[in-house]
Amino acid sequence: MGPVRLEAITWDRLGDHLAERLLDLKPADGSPWPRVALDGAPAARPGDLAERVSEALRIRGRPSLVVGTEGFLRPASLRLEYGRQDVEAYYDGWFDTRALWREVFGPLEPDGDGRVLPDLWDPVADRATRSPYTQLPPGAVLLLHGPLLLRHWFPFDLTVHVLLSPGALRRRTPETEHWTLPAFERYEDETDPAGTADVLVRADDPRHPAWNG
C-alpha cells in the first residue's frame, strides 16, 4: 500500500459522515438495499463503528440492520476440526460464508424479499440461535461487520476497512488470540484491504482515529 493521506476525526463525526454518504448510495446492481462492509480484525472493533453508523442513520430517518459475522460462525466440530489454534482453519473455515450468502445477501438481491436472518449460530452455546428473521424495507442499509470480509466477493456497495498497524494489532489482541495474527498478515498480503476499501480508517489509537475522507 502506498502513502495514503489521512485526516484526524472523532468516532462520532466519522459515523455521521458515513451515514450521510450512505443516504445517497445507490447499489450498482439495482437492489433497493445498500450493502456495506465494516471490515477489521476483532481488535479494531469494526462492530462499534457499525453501531455508530446505524444510529446516525436512524437519526436521519433511514433504517438499517447491523449484522456481525460472529453470528455466522460454523459449529465447533467444524471450526476446531484441526485444533483450537489452526491458522488455516481460521482463515478459510471459521465463518459460514454459504449461510451469509443464503440468509443475508440472497434476500437483498434485486429480486429478493428483504427478509434477512441477523444471526445463525451462538458460538458460546454452540447451537443455533433461533433468531427471527428481520424484514428490511426498501432503502434499509445492511451494515455487515467482521474480519476478513473483503476476500469473499460479497456484493458490497461500500467497503470500510478499520486498519491497525501490526504493532497495534498485536498490542490490542488478547494474548490468547495471538495465534490468529498470521491470518491477518496473510489477509494483508493477499487482499490488501487498506488499498482496496472505499474508506480507510486508521485506529491505532482508539481515542483518535483518522480516515481518508
Side-chain angles (χ1 to χ4, degrees):
M1 181 184 67
V4 177
R5 184 174 181 273
L6 299 175
E7 299 178 356
I9 193 170
T10 66
W11 288 112
D12 286 339
R13 285 179 54 218
L14 179 58
D16 287 338
H17 281 309
L18 289 174
E20 289 289 341
R21 184 166 178 174
L22 294 178
L23 292 178
D24 297 323
L25 183 63
K26 299 292 190 294
D29 64 0
S31 169
W33 300 282
R35 297 144 297 192
V36 179
L38 295 111
D39 174 63
R45 304 183 67 86
D48 290 356
L49 181 55
E51 294 291 350
R52 288 180 185 274
V53 175
S54 180
E55 176 61 16
L57 286 169
R58 185 192 67 79
I59 293 171
R60 291 161 174 78
R62 178 66 65 85
S64 63
L65 178 66
V66 176
V67 175
T69 57
E70 72 271 10
F72 286 85
L73 285 171
R74 301 174 77 199
S77 60
L78 299 176
R79 293 197 316 273
L80 309 179
E81 181 179 2
Y82 300 104
R84 293 184 176 275
Q85 297 186 357
D86 187 277
V87 176
E88 292 294 324
Y90 180 76
Y91 192 73
D92 285 322
W94 270 43
F95 299 97
D96 193 341
T97 55
R98 288 186 179 180
L100 281 165
W101 278 105
R102 182 180 69 248
E103 304 291 358
V104 177
F105 289 103
L108 302 183
E109 291 178 350
D111 59 350
D113 60 10
R115 190 167 174 264
V116 173
L117 189 65
D119 54 61
L120 179 65
W121 199 259
D122 180 342
V124 176
D126 197 34
R127 64 185 180 190
T129 58
R130 303 187 185 279
S131 295
Y133 283 85
T134 297
Q135 183 67 52
L136 296 188
V141 180
L142 170 71
L143 301 167
L144 180 68
H145 65 85
L148 313 173
L149 282 179
L150 306 186
R151 57 181 295 265
H152 297 297
W153 300 100
F154 290 138
F156 292 118
D157 303 297
L158 184 76
T159 55
V160 180
H161 178 63
V162 185
L163 173 68
L164 295 178
S165 67
L169 178 60
R170 175 169 289 274
R171 288 193 305 272
R172 292 173 56 186
T173 298
E175 187 171 350
T176 55
E177 298 174 16
H178 277 188
W179 65 271
T180 64
L181 297 179
F184 294 105
E185 294 176 8
R186 178 179 172 186
Y187 183 50
E188 292 287 339
D189 291 340
E190 295 184 353
T191 305
D192 185 22
T196 57
D198 299 309
V199 177
L200 177 64
V201 179
R202 180 178 285 277
D204 285 3
D205 183 342
R207 301 165 299 175
H208 304 292
W211 76 317
N212 63 353

